[in-house]
Amino acid sequence: MTTDVPSSGSIPTSAAFYPRTKAETLYFIVCLVLVGWVFWYSFQPIIETQLMSIVFLHLCIIALAVRSWYIKSFGIFKTKGIINKILCIIFSILSLVVMYYFVSEYHQLTYWRAGAPNTVDIILGGIAMLLVIETARKDTGFWIPLLAIFFLLYGYLGRDLPGILRHIGLNWDRLIEICSVELGIGIYGMLTGIAATWIAAFVVLAGFAIGFGALEAIIRFSKYIAARWVYGIPQTGVMASMFFGMCSGSAPANVAGTGSFTIPLNKSIGVPPKFAGAIESVASSGGLIMPPVMGAAAFLIAAYLGKSYWYIVLVAITPAVIFYATTALSVYYLSRQYLKGMVIKLERDPLSAIFRDLSPLLAAIVVLLIYLSQLYDPLIAASRAVITLMAATLILFFFKFYRSGGLRLILAEYAKGFIDGIVKGGEIAATTAAMLATIMMIVSVLNVSGLGVKLSMGLVYLAGGSLGLLCLYSAIVCIVFGFGVSATAAYLLTIIIAAPAFIAVGVEPVNAHFFVFYFSILSAITPPVAIAAVVASRISGAPFFPLCIESIKIGLALFILPVVFIIYPDILAVNLQTLKIAIFLLIALWGLSVGMFGSEGYPGKSGAVIRTIFFIFGAFLLFAPLFLGWTVGWILAFIMALLPWVLGRWRGGLENH
């Protein structure tokens, strides 16, 4: 059977932003100021980060208020028409007033009125909280603002609550003080500072990469590799999502960006819609664990642990590679069921043209790694990478367009990419800042009320000292939080409770953080919400729940790796022991993949028995070193490597009789 596959010229890409109205032009200008503020600070860090964060957060609020002017779905307080436009103006003015006040009063609030705010401080602090909560609601979803309101009410009503929930109670003035006026712990605290510096710089880098065409080049490169092998077509989703996820760090964004091409491509060659969507949803969720961005978690984990960002990136590489290798194996065995005997005609661009278009991004990544390896601050490293990307793209455009259109075409194409990059980077940075500032309110109430410590000790008590039960309870909390919020938000909400509990029973802090983060990611493919699966379902046309089930099967490694962080802590140690554990895990996970998706290689009743043996052996092998030691574990791994040959001969003997 021969199948023709569309050429790369038909690759759909997300619509580029280009201002056509006054509101859109204003939105671009505010995003430009926002990005410019971040880059000014990266070159001139002459003010405190908290002071920089105040300006950054309020510029984010203004940018998203302007966006609400012309995008109806982001209406303030869900209003429409003229009322929404009036509210957009009010929001922008209030944000400017609050920003000016807290900047001008910064040193007074920090050094002279700390712990004793005046009436104006409280009023403007309350307005700042309202601005942040509503901005987060309309631009990131209602769950995080709802949680913030819940915890504010908890802080106020604490005196009247029973048992472990009871605390001294905080009046509204005190709640506003700890959530906004005390600049180090509220909406202008640590998480907002990270959003204003490290996260903002990296998402701007991703925005420019997308604006200048890197996403399309990545898809073309994945397609080029896949074209050399019939079973490589379904791997385009895995490869494209892995590369794009390095910069994006958002599961639904990955699905929408790469899945709009890879899912129809897989369907066109005979892969059922539910599998085509599942492949993309799993691979896109994996983008959150792939350095360097990791859905902003790398920066947050580094800040919580007091470690360098470079250290977190090195630690994260091994499990990310294991995940994608296992996913690729599962997709390979799955695709063999549908592509056997097919001849695929896949048009592809020359490799030289692909690398030419990828060269600016590659140059930026090289510069980024050089700066990070020399232990520069991630803000400095990312900002220099952005400059490299912009300069290299200008050179590339000169060679691409000068002959066909001259300088005018070069500048026109560059301006389109620049505008799109500014808006995409600014938009992601702004929504991330609003989300993290809202979470900081929750963190403030948890810390001041003591509930965070109580819940941590409660987890230890419920687990009865059992590490296994503690892992189970923490995993449930992660997934439940993830039902309504992003993986990064679920990680932040859970780590406050879970990290002290894990550390109390002897787990290394870095392992505890990675355990929580990986389980937080699972919400993207776990019903009932499964936001990555929702987007994949819409693109593929497959029913939501069957697609979720297949996603869970393909993404089995995501469920196993968090447990591995606890039972084999050296997997995150970055040494020879890490390599040994990684190889061992790959063998065990290979067995599980064959057991679930190897029906083409092992069909019929005897094949079902063989697949069951593979699955059971792989599951047992995962935990064998804990009970039998590593020597026996490696012997079993060697036996498992021989299983295809041994079971194949056994099956052949059965069929001969």
Side-chain angles (χ1 to χ4, degrees), residues 183-194:
L183 302 179
I185 63 173
I187 58 176
Y188 306 116
M190 180 190 72
L191 297 184
T192 308
I194 295 172

Side-chain angles (χ1 to χ4, degrees), residues 229 231 234-235 238 279 282 321-337 553-555 557 582-583 585-599 640:
W229 185 39
Y231 298 119
Q235 301 290 347
V238 179
I279 291 169
V282 172
V321 170
I322 291 173
F323 165 75
Y324 272 108
T326 306
T327 302
L329 272 174
S330 297
V331 171
Y332 165 69
Y333 286 116
L334 178 66
S335 62
R336 287 183 60 178
Q337 301 176 30
K553 289 165 63 178
I554 295 173
I583 295 172
L585 285 175
L586 283 172
I587 295 173
L589 291 170
W590 163 69
L592 293 175
S593 297
V594 174
M596 287 188 296
F597 301 111
S599 60
M640 184 163 186

Side-chain angles (χ1 to χ4, degrees), residues 319 471 475 502 511-512 514-520 522 556-568 571-572:
C471 290
F502 276 113
N511 295 74
F514 270 81
F515 175 92
V516 170
F517 179 57
Y518 267 59
F519 262 115
S520 299
L522 289 171
L556 184 64
L558 265 180
F559 290 84
I560 293 174
L561 281 169
V563 179
V564 170
F565 299 151
I566 304 299
I567 62 177
Y568 302 125
I571 190 66
L572 300 178

Side-chain angles (χ1 to χ4, degrees), residues 90-280:
I90 293 173
F91 255 56
S92 299
I93 293 174
L94 286 176
S95 189
L96 283 171
V97 170
V98 173
M99 178 180 71
Y100 174 79
Y101 180 80
F102 280 120
V103 168
S104 62
E105 295 291 312
Y106 175 77
H107 289 94
Q108 290 288 328
L109 288 168
T110 304
Y111 301 110
W112 299 106
R113 295 206 299 275
N118 60 33
T119 303
V120 178
D121 297 338
I122 296 299
I123 292 173
L124 291 181
I127 293 173
M129 290 169 60
L130 176 64
L131 294 174
V132 168
I133 289 175
E134 173 54 18
T135 300
R137 183 208 61 80
K138 68 185 179 64
D139 291 286
T140 67
F142 68 91
W143 276 109
I144 297 177
L146 189 63
L147 280 172
I149 293 171
F150 171 82
F151 276 98
L152 288 173
L153 291 174
Y154 167 76
Y156 181 73
L157 300 172
R159 188 185 298 272
D160 302 319
L161 296 174
I164 192 175
L165 299 176
R166 183 181 175 84
H167 62 90
I168 193 171
L170 307 169
N171 60 34
W172 288 113
D173 285 1
R174 178 59 177 154
L175 282 169
I176 293 173
E177 181 185 357
I178 65 172
C179 290
S180 60
V181 179
E182 288 191 15
L183 302 179
I185 63 173
I187 58 176
Y188 306 116
M190 180 190 72
L191 297 184
T192 308
I194 295 172
T197 52
W198 297 353
I199 295 175
F202 272 83
V203 298
V204 169
L205 174 61
F208 276 120
I210 296 170
F212 287 131
L215 172 58
E216 183 178 351
I218 287 171
I219 293 176
R220 287 162 53 205
F221 177 64
S222 302
K223 191 174 179 180
Y224 180 90
I225 297 174
R228 307 184 67 88
W229 185 39
V230 64
Y231 298 119
I233 305 297
Q235 301 290 347
T236 55
V238 179
M239 291 182 290
S241 295
M242 180 181 69
F243 291 129
F244 184 52
M246 291 179 183
C247 299
S248 167
S250 168
N254 288 357
V255 175
T258 59
S260 57
F261 165 71
T262 60
I263 292 175
L265 175 63
N266 285 329
K267 289 173 63 179
S268 71
I269 60 173
V271 177
K274 67 176 181 179
F275 289 118
I279 291 169
E280 184 59 44

